[in-house]
Amino acid sequence: MIPQNMHSMFARPNHDEASRQNFVNDFRVHLASKVFPGTFPAYFSRVLPAFIKTQGREPKDRHEVRKVMTKDPYYQLWSAMQRSSQEMIWDSVIDSVERQLPDLLKKAKDLKGKGSLTINPDVKVPKYHDAADIHLQPGAYHTDTTEDDLAAGAVYDRGTYIYSMGGLGKENDGLGRITREFFRRQFPDKKIERVLDMGCTIGGSVTYWSTKEPGTEFHAIDVGAPCLRYGHARAKAVGGNVHFSQQNAEKTNFPDASFDLITSHILLHETSVQAIDSIFKECYRLLKPGGVMLHLDLPQVFGQNPLEGFLWEWEIYNNNEHFYGQLRELDTASVAAKAGFDPAKFKIHQVASTWEDGQTPYSNENFTFPVYLAVK
Amino acid sequence: MADDKKPVKLPRTAKGKKPIYFDSTTDKLLSMVLTLMGELSVMRDRLDTVERLAEKKGVFKLDDIENYELSEDVNKIRGERRAAYIARVLKSVQDELDALQQQGDGMNVDLPQ
């Protein structure tokens, strides 16, 4: 595993914990590169011919592929191992955090730096986060286990690095690098005085932005208190400057026309269709005239053949990403129009995920994130 | 504060319905095998550390293991060794993949990533 840069808030693994984490990473690399590719010949050499034999035609969509592929022994074994590997990620990380929690809590308190933190215990964790622990992180983003808890954030910082097999970059801020590079390509001269990042979790992306745009005031919101507490401490540790507050992106307490830019990084697929409606409306309300809305998320179903469409949805059925299913086919242009955005100023960009050091398994030219971009 | 109280126990199981892949028992067996596979890897890493320290100093303390810093070179060596180990344990899967590919269909399919 490519070593992750460990800032002062990082829950450093001891010898065996580090070995365990390295193993999970390497096991997942093996699954992705050596086992997963076999699902294609399994499909084309036996599943598809069997389907054609009984139906007289090819499957018409991913749902039909799903019905037959989930019965194929090769697919089942890959899928079961992939699921186990996901559970093993968290298992390999939680020990380090649990062991060092008192120390991390003290460090967070003592750390000097910029930015602020506002926790609001009245914020309710929405059903789409509480129904199941998203990507199997026990306790998810929001469970407090002690006073001023930040464990969920510390677990997330390491766990997502292993999940992405280092693809989020050594600083675990890769998505922020992608959105900033994209934004500055689109709007090279735009002045941004105030920026809001929605669903920030530990603020990896927005903290990166704050180090690159020092004249800008950055705000970041999330419903998960322990992630925000960790995010604030982490931002101080890496020299960021972000104002974190516990708020739901569907309805915030910022006044109208507060921001020049509102971003989110893989937030939408973890909310519901109704929530995305509210989030776009809230973005419209919060943006100044000429302000920019920029949501980066996971690929939609459009343009994928039935097999690809099915494979892309593994996370929905096996990794508690239940709400990603709703985003897959959502007409985001209509949602933006309904929220008030001029359809002529809304566009879905496909953004390739490469950045300067090129360190990511997602740097393959074929892999792009959709970015929903609108100007008010 | 947490340090005045009993140590905090973090949640260890994710909320949500767990899918059944084969059947409940086989799924558990697979999970046990994979966990053992991981633990053996951890053990081998630890032994590797001991061996290297012993070689370096002729004698070692337990504390030396905890403080061992993984160098870039050693990290690379361990990564390669781990990949070979994973391939060995999962050989039965590779055999099936090889057999599938030898059937011809799908061999020239463009794979994602």
Side-chain angles (χ1 to χ4, degrees):
Chain A
M1 178 161 60
I2 301 161
Q4 183 175 4
N5 283 357
M6 297 187 185
H7 48 77
S8 63
M9 277 306 298
F10 199 88
R12 285 171 180 268
N14 65 20
H15 183 277
D16 288 3
E17 289 161 0
S19 286
R20 205 166 282 122
Q21 294 170 5
N22 269 305
F23 171 80
V24 179
N25 177 83
D26 294 4
F27 177 46
R28 286 171 61 83
V29 169
H30 181 92
L31 286 177
S33 61
K34 300 281 199 303
V35 181
F36 174 73
T39 57
F40 286 80
Y43 178 72
F44 287 108
S45 72
R46 61 189 184 202
V47 176
L48 180 62
F51 187 96
I52 292 170
K53 203 171 172 188
T54 55
Q55 307 289 318
R57 59 172 177 83
E58 295 201 358
K60 62 177 186 293
D61 58 23
R62 63 197 192 281
H63 305 300
E64 284 195 347
V65 174
R66 178 175 166 70
K67 277 190 192 138
V68 285
M69 267 303 265
T70 49
K71 294 192 182 77
D72 182 77
Y74 189 89
Y75 175 81
Q76 284 175 328
L77 186 53
W78 167 74
S79 180
M81 289 195 289
Q82 187 69 15
R83 163 81 184 204
S84 281
S85 79
Q86 184 72 21
E87 292 172 354
M88 289 161 82
I89 292 175
W90 305 114
D91 194 55
S92 76
V93 173
I94 292 170
D95 286 337
S96 309
V97 176
E98 191 175 84
R99 185 171 54 76
Q100 298 172 82
L101 190 56
D103 189 38
L104 291 172
L105 291 168
K106 188 175 179 313
K107 266 191 203 165
K109 229 175 184 175
D110 296 345
L111 209 57
K112 301 273 178 284
K114 292 174 180 167
S116 65
L117 173 69
T118 309
I119 295 298
N120 179 2
D122 295 334
V123 169
K124 274 179 69 178
V125 176
K127 181 101 179 111
Y128 47 80
H129 273 192
D130 192 35
D133 289 345
I134 292 175
H135 30 69
L136 307 185
Q137 178 178 341
Y141 307 105
H142 53 269
T143 303
D144 275 324
T145 57
T146 185
E147 196 187 332
D148 295 330
D149 192 17
L150 46 70
V155 169
Y156 183 87
D157 200 359
R158 184 60 167 166
T160 51
Y161 185 80
I162 300 170
Y163 169 79
S164 68
M165 297 174 280
L168 294 169
K170 289 179 178 178
E171 314 289 342
N172 223 11
D173 58 4
L175 299 179
R177 287 171 187 256
I178 293 168
T179 55
R180 182 168 175 276
E181 192 185 298
F182 170 74
F183 176 76
R184 277 303 171 207
R185 246 190 351 252
Q186 296 287 321
F187 306 96
D189 303 317
K190 184 164 177 63
K191 256 191 86 181
I192 44 171
E193 287 170 358
R194 292 182 94 212
V195 173
L196 172 66
D197 186 46
M198 291 176 153
C200 64
T201 58
I202 61 167
S205 299
V206 67
T207 300
Y208 168 79
W209 273 76
S210 78
T211 61
K212 294 293 171 185
E213 308 269 354
T216 304
E217 186 180 308
F218 284 92
H219 293 259
I221 59 171
D222 201 279
V223 292
C227 281
L228 289 165
R229 294 192 195 96
Y230 181 82
H232 176 50
R234 180 187 179 280
K236 287 193 282 188
V238 302
N241 185 2
V242 179
H243 300 286
F244 291 91
S245 60
Q246 188 178 10
Q247 299 197 55
N248 186 325
E250 294 180 62
K251 191 175 187 306
T252 71
N253 64 12
F254 299 109
D256 293 357
S258 291
F259 297 101
D260 304 283
L261 169 65
I262 300 175
T263 59
S264 79
H265 304 81
I266 50 173
L267 162 71
L268 301 180
H269 78 281
E270 293 182 1
T271 69
S272 64
V273 164
Q274 293 82 353
I276 294 173
D277 237 35
S278 309
I279 289 168
F280 276 34
K281 280 181 187 144
E282 186 67 355
C283 286
Y284 191 79
R285 183 182 76 78
L286 293 177
L287 284 173
K288 298 176 189 171
V292 175
M293 173 177 88
L294 191 168
H295 300 290
L296 173 144
D297 220 290
L298 298 178
Q300 290 192 296
V301 72
F302 313 115
Q304 296 177 342
N305 67 40
L307 177 63
E308 287 170 343
F310 158 72
L311 291 171
W312 263 103
E313 297 190 352
W314 185 87
E315 304 261 339
I316 297 173
Y317 298 97
N318 299 279
N319 202 15
N320 283 353
E321 290 276 22
H322 304 288
F323 291 93
Y324 177 31
Q326 301 190 0
L327 179 64
R328 291 276 288 159
E329 288 186 297
L330 185 68
D331 178 3
T332 50
S334 296
V335 178
K338 211 160 74 183
F341 289 100
D342 177 354
K345 294 181 182 173
F346 175 86
K347 195 176 169 196
I348 305 172
H349 295 259
Q350 299 297 332
V351 180
S353 50
T354 49
W355 54 86
E356 54 264 38
D357 58 11
Q359 181 222 338
T360 164
Y362 306 135
S363 62
N364 186 312
E365 274 177 29
N366 297 323
F367 188 89
T368 57
F369 290 98
V371 168
Y372 307 103
L373 188 75
V375 180
K376 183 174 175 181
Chain B
M1 288 298 292
D3 49 358
D4 300 330
K5 300 176 195 162
K6 263 172 58 179
V8 172
K9 290 278 169 212
L10 297 181
R12 293 286 176 156
T13 307
K15 182 179 173 183
K17 199 176 163 206
K18 185 168 174 149
I20 301 280
Y21 295 92
F22 304 101
D23 59 72
S24 171
T25 307
T26 310
D27 287 359
K28 284 187 188 71
L29 278 172
L30 178 67
S31 163
M32 288 177 208
V33 169
L34 295 176
T35 303
L36 283 173
M37 192 174 154
E39 289 311 300
L40 186 57
S41 174
V42 170
M43 186 77 84
R44 182 65 182 79
D45 281 350
R46 193 172 180 95
L47 184 60
D48 184 58
T49 304
V50 173
E51 286 167 353
R52 283 171 199 283
L53 281 168
E55 186 181 55
K56 198 169 159 188
K57 299 190 174 185
V59 64
F60 60 82
K61 298 174 197 158
L62 275 181
D63 208 35
D64 290 339
I65 296 170
E66 294 305 330
N67 297 325
Y68 182 71
E69 292 281 342
L70 201 62
S71 71
E72 234 176 83
D73 288 354
V74 178
N75 188 41
K76 189 166 169 285
I77 292 164
R78 286 190 183 184
E80 287 165 2
R81 199 212 69 241
R82 238 180 264 123
Y85 167 66
I86 292 166
R88 189 191 322 278
V89 178
L90 296 190
K91 189 171 172 299
S92 58
V93 187
Q94 183 66 46
D95 290 345
E96 192 181 351
L97 169 58
D98 291 344
L100 279 167
Q101 283 180 333
Q102 275 164 19
Q103 288 175 25
D105 291 327
M107 271 197 76
N108 300 317
V109 173
D110 285 333
L111 304 180
Q113 297 179 2

